[in-house]
Coordinates of all heavy atoms in Angstrom, one line a residue:
S1096 N 96.7 109.1 79.1 CA 95.8 109.5 78.0 C 96.6 110.4 77.0 O 95.9 110.9 76.0 CB 94.6 110.3 78.5 OG 95.1 111.4 79.3
G1097 N 97.9 110.7 77.2 CA 98.6 111.5 76.2 C 99.0 110.7 75.0 O 98.8 109.5 74.9
P1098 N 99.7 111.4 74.0 CA 100.2 110.7 72.9 C 101.2 109.6 73.3 O 101.8 109.6 74.4 CB 100.9 111.8 72.1 CG 100.3 113.1 72.6 CD 100.0 112.8 74.0
G1099 N 101.4 108.6 72.4 CA 102.3 107.5 72.7 C 103.7 107.9 73.1 O 104.3 107.3 74.0
F1100 N 104.1 108.9 72.4 CA 105.5 109.4 72.7 C 105.6 109.9 74.1 O 106.5 109.6 74.9 CB 105.8 110.6 71.7 CG 106.8 111.6 72.3 CD1 108.1 111.2 72.4 CD2 106.4 112.8 72.6 CE1 109.0 112.1 72.9 CE2 107.3 113.8 73.1 CZ 108.6 113.4 73.3
L1101 N 104.6 110.7 74.6 CA 104.6 111.2 76.0 C 104.5 110.1 77.0 O 105.1 110.1 78.0 CB 103.5 112.2 76.2 CG 103.7 113.6 75.7 CD1 102.5 114.5 75.9 CD2 104.9 114.2 76.5
Q1102 N 103.7 109.1 76.7 CA 103.6 108.0 77.6 C 104.9 107.3 77.7 O 105.3 106.8 78.8 CB 102.5 107.0 77.1 CG 101.1 107.6 77.2 CD 100.0 106.6 76.9 OE1 100.1 105.4 77.3 NE2 99.0 107.0 76.2
Y1103 N 105.6 107.2 76.6 CA 107.0 106.6 76.7 C 107.9 107.4 77.6 O 108.7 106.9 78.4 CB 107.5 106.4 75.3 CG 109.0 105.9 75.2 CD1 109.2 104.6 75.3 CD2 110.0 106.8 75.1 CE1 110.5 104.1 75.3 CE2 111.3 106.3 75.1 CZ 111.6 105.0 75.2 OH 112.9 104.5 75.2
V1104 N 107.8 108.7 77.5 CA 108.7 109.6 78.2 C 108.4 109.6 79.7 O 109.3 109.5 80.6 CB 108.5 111.0 77.7 CG1 109.2 112.0 78.6 CG2 109.2 111.1 76.3
L1105 N 107.1 109.5 80.0 CA 106.7 109.7 81.4 C 106.5 108.4 82.2 O 106.6 108.4 83.5 CB 105.3 110.5 81.5 CG 105.4 111.9 80.9 CD1 104.0 112.5 80.8 CD2 106.2 112.8 81.8
N1106 N 106.2 107.3 81.6 CA 105.9 106.0 82.3 C 107.2 105.2 82.5 O 108.1 105.3 81.8 CB 104.8 105.3 81.5 CG 103.5 106.0 81.4 OD1 103.3 107.0 82.2 ND2 102.7 105.7 80.5
R1107 N 107.1 104.2 83.4 CA 108.2 103.3 83.7 C 107.6 101.9 84.0 O 106.5 101.7 84.4 CB 109.0 103.8 85.0 CG 109.6 105.2 84.9 CD 110.7 105.2 83.8 NE 111.3 106.5 83.8 CZ 111.0 107.5 83.0 NH1 109.9 107.3 82.2 NH2 111.6 108.7 83.0
G1108 N 108.5 100.9 83.8 CA 108.2 99.5 84.1 C 108.3 98.7 82.9 O 108.7 99.1 81.8
P1109 N 108.0 97.4 83.0 CA 107.4 96.8 84.2 C 108.4 96.2 85.2 O 109.6 96.0 84.9 CB 106.6 95.6 83.5 CG 107.5 95.2 82.4 CD 108.1 96.4 81.9
W1110 N 107.9 95.9 86.4 CA 108.6 95.2 87.4 C 107.9 93.9 87.7 O 106.6 93.9 87.8 CB 108.6 96.0 88.7 CG 109.6 97.1 88.7 CD1 110.9 97.1 89.2 CD2 109.4 98.5 88.3 NE1 111.5 98.3 89.0 CE2 110.6 99.2 88.4 CE3 108.3 99.2 87.7 CZ2 110.8 100.5 88.1 CZ3 108.5 100.5 87.3 CH2 109.7 101.2 87.5
K1111 N 108.6 92.8 87.8 CA 108.0 91.5 88.1 C 108.0 91.4 89.6 O 109.0 91.4 90.3 CB 108.9 90.4 87.5 CG 109.0 90.5 86.0 CD 109.9 89.4 85.5 CE 110.0 89.4 84.0 NZ 111.0 88.4 83.4

Side-chain angles (χ1 to χ4, degrees):
S1096 59
F1100 154 69
L1101 277 177
Q1102 293 189 37
Y1103 176 82
V1104 168
L1105 297 172
N1106 297 341
R1107 300 292 183 270
W1110 283 266
K1111 299 175 181 179

